[in-house]
Amino acid sequence: MTEFFSTPDGLRLAYDDTGHGAPLLCLAGLSRNMDDFAPVVAHFASRARVLRLDSRGRGRSDRDPDFHNYNVLQEARDVVVLLDHLGLEKVSILGTSRGGLIAMTLAMVNPERLHGVIFNDIGPVVDPAGLADIMGYLGYTPSYSSFEDAADRLPEAMAPRFSNVPRATWQAFAEALWTETSEGLDIRYDPALRNAVLEQATDGALPEIWPLFEALAPFPVALIRGENSNILTRETAEEMRRRKPDLIFAEVPDRGHVPFLDEPESRAVISAYLESFS
């Protein structure tokens, strides 16, 4: 059941709290929301307390009247407010894309609140080609008339980076990302996110943040990479492994940015990370 807490600047943010065990906070990608982590709840709620957050402006959370507050540092502060609300001293973070950037920010500014991090297809370097791809749709209404239409057309739209994806997975993807209206599908996030990213990207690129990754040196860290990712290059993933030799790692075949977290490789990484706390 969705629950809510309030931020110091007056926004009402949504979260879900399911399962038992070591707390694992799931943070979604830039325009995504907690529903992306349904496979994590399904497979790991018996082993972990799975917390899922809709960052400000996404999903069921309030939209911020000032789009400048859609930044990684503010969203990291919101995570700390959630942890205080729940009475949690520390948490592990499963961060998909933007969620992983938030995790690295916390490692720098609030390391005492972290147990460790699982990255889902993100690292200290964001490939400009992938960012350009995101900007091609960010803030715009999709062209699909219904969830069924999306499930039919997504395999072609997402090829060749995604292949061998069950139709039910595309249906779940569509239902998590969009909402169905009488006029077709609509986005479930504040379109002003586009303005925020345009202001924060320099010359169409985001700055490299290796020092933030280095701040994770004392923590257990895991990495899931989509084989065909255009955000996390293989070179960046290899450099992460070089700098963090104990990094738990797997590459997911037939997946781009981002893996759905229902793949055997994704589950294996999450499972191995959770075993480090058993």
Side-chain angles (χ1 to χ4, degrees), residues 101-124:
L101 301 181
I102 295 170
M104 282 187 277
T105 301
L106 283 168
M108 182 66 75
V109 300
N110 289 103
E112 74 282 358
R113 308 308 295 265
L114 282 180
H115 273 307
V117 176
I118 305 170
F119 291 107
N120 183 21
D121 209 63
I122 191 66

Side-chain angles (χ1 to χ4, degrees), residues 146-159:
S146 66
F147 292 138
E148 291 287 327
D149 181 39
D152 288 340
R153 294 166 54 194
L154 278 167
E156 181 177 358
M158 301 293 279

